[in-house]
Amino acid sequence: MNEALPDVPEVRVVGLPQLTSGFDLVDRLDLPMHLKVHGPLEPLGGEQLAQLAERINLRGRGGAGFPFHKKLRSVAETAIKRGVRPVVVINGSEDEPACRKDTVLINRAPHLILDGALLCAEAMGARTLVVGVTRESTQRSMEAALAERGLNNGRRSALRARVQRNPVRMVTGAAASLIRSADGGPAIPPGRKVSASQNGVGGAPTLLSNAETFAQLAIAARIGPERYCNTGLYDEPGTVMLTVSGAVARPMVIEVPTGVPLRYVLQLAGAPPTPQGVLTGGYHGKWIDAATVNEAIISRNSLDAVGGALGAGAILPISQDTCPLGESLRVAQWLAEESAGQCGPCYLGLPAAARGLEDILNGGGPAALEAVKQVAKNVKRRGACSHPDGSAMFLESTVKAFTDDLAAHVLGNGCGRPVEGVLPLFEGGRAPTGIPGGGGEENGPSRQKIFVDWTLCRGHGLCADILPEVFQLGADGFPTVAQAQVPRYAEAKALRAVRRCPALALRIEDAAPQAKAPSRNLPVLSQGRGRRALGR
């Protein structure tokens, strides 16, 4: 089983370092060492900064890849039009178990990130800087960096700067979640589409981008666009930071120029010579098969062209010795657990998709495959944030990339390979959290079972309306289960279902302690938010 990645794994570089300059000298570049390595940085005007970002084709390095110059101009124009000061936000909330590039930068080169953010703040006249993080190590490093620059959140400060620490959750990395938490709310999406550039922290136009994006801007501002564009591809110049893990001998974060062959990056990390597949872009990314690996180079356009994704910069190969569908099931289950519990496509759809993938592995046949495809299609573009879309993309890619294994499970007795757990997840399968849906007391082991008395049930269907986590209606209009575990978070709803059943056909009993299940090759969906019991 693959262990969770440390906050700061091994760091390598291909070619001349830019973001990782000085990493061979010290573990962390404090302000004096940062200035020795990178030199001073002159301020730029707002339009100068936008033109610089445009000339180097700088795109957000957090996954979406939105052009930075467009975001910068939009924030500046909105601030001028409304006559308000904009806000700058650094998103260092790197909460995928397979991603560490931003965490490495914050821990080892925090001032490079601050350089880029402060350039933007000065150019636009911002008076507030927020740094969003989720890990203790990144909080310590960034707070120390602010102190080294004499920045604080005091009311008399010319620039009020602070670190916003949120729980380690997939959804806290969303821009809307970070903005909501910066305003004192929970670190979950607000349930409606919002534009940070128009209405961000405190209602002000907000320039929000991830840590690597600001660091790249700082490098370009120092060396100039011509020199910056001498590295990497013509249409995607510069370097990118990647996290390489999965079936590799040496998990690492690596800085590479765009245009480097993907197979070379895998070779550096000690991946199998012929991987069965490579997950690109992280757990909201896409699989590419072994044949495609040899065609791909490290660039957003190249990976898109071969069916992959640069995304959050995570590269995860798997070997020929593991079941790719079983590996993907573990990730699908984790993605389902990461729901903020606010919208149906995410709260109900992602667990249903994970159940469907498990049904395929357990011999559910063509019907199970069609169910997974349908669920993935239904959750897209209907959620309160991008989590359902990214998760659906991962599931659809899994079904598309491993057709031979899929056929073996759907039409035969399976592929015969074990699930080795090479794709990293947080220890225990979930991250520590303090927000709904993330493993608190309400998500502990089930304490209750709910039963259907078939001698009384008349198929009213009210139980399925009140408790969809447990009950679904069959073609005959009756519940499809006779008994099921009740997730801890749904106990109140289960009691309401019992009380409101017109036929008095439901009852609840305390769940008896269960013996430990025998070891299986396939992971089994546990009870809890994001995973619904079918009772089968």
Side-chain angles (χ1 to χ4, degrees), residues 2 244-251 262-279 287 289-291 293-294 315-322 420 422-423:
N2 200 345
V244 188
S245 63
V248 298
R250 302 169 62 187
L262 174 59
R263 64 177 180 275
Y264 180 65
V265 173
L266 295 174
Q267 181 183 350
L268 287 177
T274 307
Q276 183 175 188
V278 178
L279 180 59
W287 289 100
D289 58 29
V293 170
N294 293 325
I315 305 293
L316 301 107
I318 60 172
S319 72
Q320 300 284 350
D321 300 324
T322 187
E420 297 179 341
V422 297
L423 301 182

Side-chain angles (χ1 to χ4, degrees), residues 30 65 142 175 219 226 287 316 340 370 375 417 463 492 506 516:
D30 60 13
M142 194 53 79
I219 292 291
E226 291 82 9
W287 289 100
L316 301 107
E370 290 304 314
V375 171
R417 287 172 289 185
C463 57
L506 300 177
K516 185 176 180 180

Side-chain angles (χ1 to χ4, degrees), residues 60-332:
R61 302 299 176 89
F66 190 80
F68 188 80
H69 70 275
K70 292 184 178 180
K71 186 181 295 186
L72 186 61
R73 287 191 173 108
S74 176
V75 172
E77 289 169 3
T78 302
I80 292 171
K81 185 183 300 183
R82 292 172 51 188
V84 298
R85 297 277 190 180
V87 176
V88 176
V89 176
I90 300 170
N91 191 348
S93 308
E94 194 171 42
D95 302 318
E96 284 194 44
C99 295
R100 291 294 184 277
K101 67 179 182 70
D102 289 333
T103 302
V104 163
L105 285 174
I106 295 173
N107 274 285
R108 301 198 61 181
H111 289 285
L112 195 61
I113 301 164
L114 286 176
D115 278 348
L118 293 173
L119 271 177
C120 297
E122 185 169 354
M124 297 189 301
R127 293 293 181 262
T128 303
L129 171 66
V130 179
V131 185
V133 300
T134 54
R135 302 173 187 275
E136 183 179 353
S137 64
T138 50
Q139 180 182 7
R140 286 198 309 266
S141 180
M142 194 53 79
E143 286 179 341
L146 292 178
E148 289 163 7
R149 289 178 179 254
L151 296 173
N152 58 60
N153 197 33
R155 292 187 176 182
R156 296 184 179 181
S157 300
L159 176 71
R160 299 185 63 176
R162 61 186 173 91
V163 176
Q164 173 70 36
R165 171 85 180 273
N166 291 325
V168 180
R169 288 296 307 279
M170 188 79 162
V171 293
T172 62
S177 299
L178 182 50
I179 289 171
R180 191 177 184 185
S181 68
D183 283 336
I188 53 178
R192 64 187 185 281
K193 302 293 184 182
V194 294
S195 170
S197 299
Q198 304 297 318
N199 188 6
V201 176
T206 298
L207 178 69
L208 186 150
S209 200
N210 91 306
E212 185 190 343
T213 311
F214 284 112
Q216 293 282 2
L217 183 66
I219 292 291
R222 276 189 169 88
I223 67 177
E226 291 82 9
R227 185 176 163 193
Y228 185 95
C229 292
N230 285 338
T231 299
L233 299 171
Y234 172 78
D235 58 342
E236 294 183 50
T239 65
V240 295
M241 296 284 284
L242 304 172
T243 311
V244 188
S245 63
V248 298
R250 302 169 62 187
M252 63 178 61
V253 167
I254 182 169
E255 182 183 12
V256 301
T258 55
V260 168
L262 174 59
R263 64 177 180 275
Y264 180 65
V265 173
L266 295 174
Q267 181 183 350
L268 287 177
T274 307
Q276 183 175 188
V278 178
L279 180 59
T280 59
Y283 295 160
H284 277 177
K286 297 180 180 180
W287 289 100
I288 58 177
D289 58 29
T292 306
V293 170
N294 293 325
E295 304 173 18
I297 63 174
I298 300 301
S299 83
R300 187 175 302 278
N301 291 337
S302 171
L303 289 171
D304 286 346
V306 298
L310 180 60
I315 305 293
L316 301 107
I318 60 172
S319 72
Q320 300 284 350
D321 300 324
T322 187
C323 173
L325 300 183
E327 296 290 345
S328 297
L329 173 61
R330 295 177 65 247
V331 175

